[in-house]
Amino acid sequence: LVAERCARVGFTDVEVSGLFGVVVGYVRDQPMSPRAEIEMLMNAFAFDAVESEGLIRFVPRGRAPVASIEIADCVLPDRGEIATLVRAEETELPDIVSITFIDGNGDYQSGSISASRLAGWSDRKSDASFALVMDEIQAQTIADRALAEAWIGRETARLGLPPALIAIDPGDVIDLMVDGRARSFRLTRITDSGPRAIEAQRTESAIYSVPLPGIAPPTFVPPTVYGRAILEIMDLPILRDSDIPY
């Protein structure tokens, strides 16, 4: 679907082999650009779009770290410190995430579901709307993941990496060793100007796994496809002498 949306505007230099998931259906109830449609899918299915080697690569979140980096391995960027860690205040984070979707089990009417924290000092609410057909389990999974992403991702990092680590791309996950403990960060921006200036956000792969044991993600079942209709005139004997022979 992502490749088709890109091809719709004549853009074919894309890589989508890492994506997975099933879009049961969606409604275009208002004019939407292919970019807006892809951004909606990115938020629902947790993947990023990054430019690498002349391609736009769509990569899923929750991947394993590609490198482990010590603070001592970092280099001084053109501006700022070697490594800076920032933690957002609780009052800036959502306490409730509510999403609106198209309920495939409810006659395709609009449905709403939310996820909330049991503790904390924030009273913010985040709302998101998806013109996607899904059931309540899938919608609850999206809401739970969005809430966890917001709180886990409250910690961001800025650091400088040597040019030797040129293979690292935005969207990759690295383990940053802080006080002898590994913290996983997803790279959100890389600026190449001598030292590679990195911006990253805290992440944990567990929030992208199956929410509950025994609940499998939706799978695609191809519909039955019948052959084309064939019209054949049958030359049968007349049953009664009074029947018209044509």
Side-chain angles (χ1 to χ4, degrees):
L1 179 60
V2 173
E4 190 276 333
R5 295 291 90 183
C6 291
R8 183 181 172 197
V9 292
F11 191 76
T12 57
D13 295 332
V14 297
E15 173 61 48
V16 297
S17 60
L19 298 183
F20 58 90
V22 176
V23 178
V24 178
Y26 69 97
V27 177
R28 298 182 63 191
D29 54 355
Q30 59 184 352
M32 294 178 66
S33 66
R35 175 173 179 171
E37 295 179 46
I38 292 175
E39 288 177 343
M40 176 181 63
L41 295 173
M42 290 170 62
N43 292 329
F45 292 93
F47 63 91
D48 297 306
V50 300
E51 189 278 330
S52 177
E53 300 178 354
L55 296 176
I56 299 298
R57 302 182 186 275
F58 294 93
V59 294
R61 297 182 181 178
R63 295 177 298 159
V66 299
S68 180
I69 299 173
E70 299 275 356
I71 297 294
D73 297 331
C74 299
V75 297
L76 187 65
D78 294 337
R79 292 181 297 178
E81 302 292 334
I82 292 180
T84 303
L85 299 178
V86 178
R87 187 178 178 88
E89 296 290 339
E90 285 193 7
T91 54
E92 300 175 1
L93 303 173
D95 183 62
I96 299 175
V97 171
S98 176
I99 68 170
T100 304
F101 63 100
I102 301 172
D103 191 352
N105 295 330
D107 294 331
Y108 297 95
Q109 299 297 314
S110 177
S112 179
I113 209 160
S114 62
S116 60
R117 285 178 59 85
L118 300 178
W121 302 99
S122 174
D123 58 358
R124 289 179 178 268
K125 181 181 180 182
S126 175
D127 297 300
S129 179
F130 297 98
L132 295 172
V133 178
M134 62 183 77
D135 57 23
E136 290 187 353
I137 294 177
Q138 188 177 5
Q140 187 67 63
T141 301
I142 295 174
D144 291 341
R145 188 195 65 234
L147 183 63
E149 274 187 327
W151 282 82
I152 294 174
R154 65 188 294 193
E155 188 173 355
T156 57
R158 294 192 178 194
L159 57 146
L161 296 181
L165 296 175
I166 192 65
I168 295 179
D169 288 327
D172 286 341
V173 177
I174 62 172
D175 275 344
L176 185 63
M177 304 302 295
V178 180
D179 296 330
R181 298 178 59 186
R183 297 184 184 179
S184 296
F185 284 86
R186 176 173 52 86
L187 306 189
T188 56
R189 182 185 296 271
I190 298 178
T191 303
D192 287 312
S193 58
R196 309 193 76 196
I198 303 295
E199 296 181 20
Q201 188 174 32
R202 187 83 163 83
T203 185
E204 290 184 9
S205 61
I207 65 177
Y208 303 102
S209 60
V210 177
L212 293 174
I215 296 180
T219 57
F220 175 68
V221 179
T224 303
V225 178
Y226 300 96
R228 62 178 182 174
I230 299 177
L231 175 62
E232 297 234 353
I233 305 300
M234 302 179 67
D235 187 10
L236 300 176
I238 297 177
L239 298 180
R240 295 173 297 183
D241 294 338
S242 58
D243 290 340
I244 300 176
Y246 54 84

